[in-house]
Amino acid sequence: MLAQLPYHASLASEALTLYDQYMKTICLKRYAAPWALAFALCLVAGCASTAKPKPEPDTASMPPRERLEHRVGELHEQLAQTPDDATLQYQLGNAYFDLMDYPAAKEAYAAAVKLKPDYASAYCNLGLTLRHLKDYKSAIAAYRHALELVPDDMATLGNLAAAQELDGDIEGAVMTMRRMLEKDSRAAVVLDKLGELEFRMGNYAGASDAYEKLLQLDPGHPDDYYYLGLARYNLGDDDGALSAWKLGLAKDPEHLQILKAMPEAYYRKHDYDNAWNAVKECERRGLLLEDAFIRKLQTDSGRLGPR
């Protein structure tokens, strides 16, 4: 039965020492020795049963931040034993990132890629951390390292495009997004962002093309019809612009940006009746148009308002 009890080496040594001293100082008969030894072993067992190991904390019941802080502590303990473990450094970076301690996350990810130069995920997360630190050029460099290791990874390309945009390199972001579309021509989120950036660059044909492809994939968003119409309007295609805006109003009859845009498209076509009707729709909703436009419409149409 004693063999089934927990064993603690330090307690056993102390108990057996006491037993040895007891045998030397007290004249026991030979047959008493086994009982003294049994007593010592019982002492070991009794002490062992009361010396319970420290229970592991219940991390599942911890608040999220406390759980992350506990995880950071665990990882530091493990790294103290194996400091050259790139995976542990990567996991430490993830924990710090979730804690929004971006300088510490940067340090951990940098250590991971130093230990393992082909660690694409660590380079990607390092780039994301550098973006949060607003070091966009370094973030771009980190993403490029990741892409050298895993070419055409969509997540990394998307992060690269975002960093390029934040760094003011709109043309670079557009090129990256076109590269993404070569890999997946049906990536609606990429088409949406590409249309926006093409428009900002003044490439209205590129913006129109992106929004047309987007609406073929997902025709349900009135905003996309608005921006498609705006791109066409800037290309001088008033009929194309009005066609897109009418489709947008079919989705949302109260889309204020479309309603405000339509009068000028009709005016530029010299379709004054519809221009005045569009103005009336704006006034009915309390939308104010520029006085200069109203005066121009009055002059060119030869009347002060809709018939």
Side-chain angles (χ1 to χ4, degrees), residues 35-182:
W35 293 105
L37 177 59
F39 171 76
L41 293 174
C42 285
L43 175 63
V44 172
C47 293
S49 64
T50 57
K52 296 180 180 178
K54 184 179 178 180
E56 289 293 323
D58 181 11
T59 55
S61 64
M62 290 180 180
R65 185 171 186 85
E66 185 179 340
R67 185 163 60 249
L68 285 168
E69 290 169 346
H70 177 77
R71 177 62 176 153
V72 165
E74 285 183 330
L75 289 165
H76 276 296
E77 289 177 4
Q78 294 173 49
L79 281 165
Q81 301 297 319
T82 54
D84 294 336
D85 191 322
T87 301
L88 288 177
Q89 291 285 6
Y90 175 75
Q91 292 172 354
L92 181 62
N94 291 344
Y96 275 128
F97 187 92
D98 289 341
L99 283 167
M100 293 186 289
D101 186 346
Y102 301 122
K106 171 187 170 183
E107 183 178 344
Y109 289 133
V113 297
K114 185 177 181 180
L115 290 166
K116 186 180 178 183
D118 63 347
Y119 208 156
S121 298
Y123 272 117
C124 190
N125 285 8
L126 174 60
L128 193 58
T129 301
L130 290 164
R131 263 178 58 193
H132 280 276
L133 292 170
K134 302 188 186 304
D135 186 356
Y136 303 125
K137 284 183 169 50
S138 297
I140 289 168
Y143 292 135
R144 291 198 186 282
H145 274 297
L147 288 167
E148 288 173 6
L149 298 166
V150 187
D152 298 326
D153 178 74
M154 289 291 280
T156 306
L157 285 167
N159 283 323
L160 172 60
Q164 289 171 317
E165 181 189 359
L166 289 167
D167 194 44
D169 183 9
I170 305 301
E171 186 174 355
V174 165
M175 291 176 64
T176 300
M177 288 185 175
R178 288 176 180 166
R179 181 176 166 187
M180 294 174 74
L181 289 170
E182 288 174 5

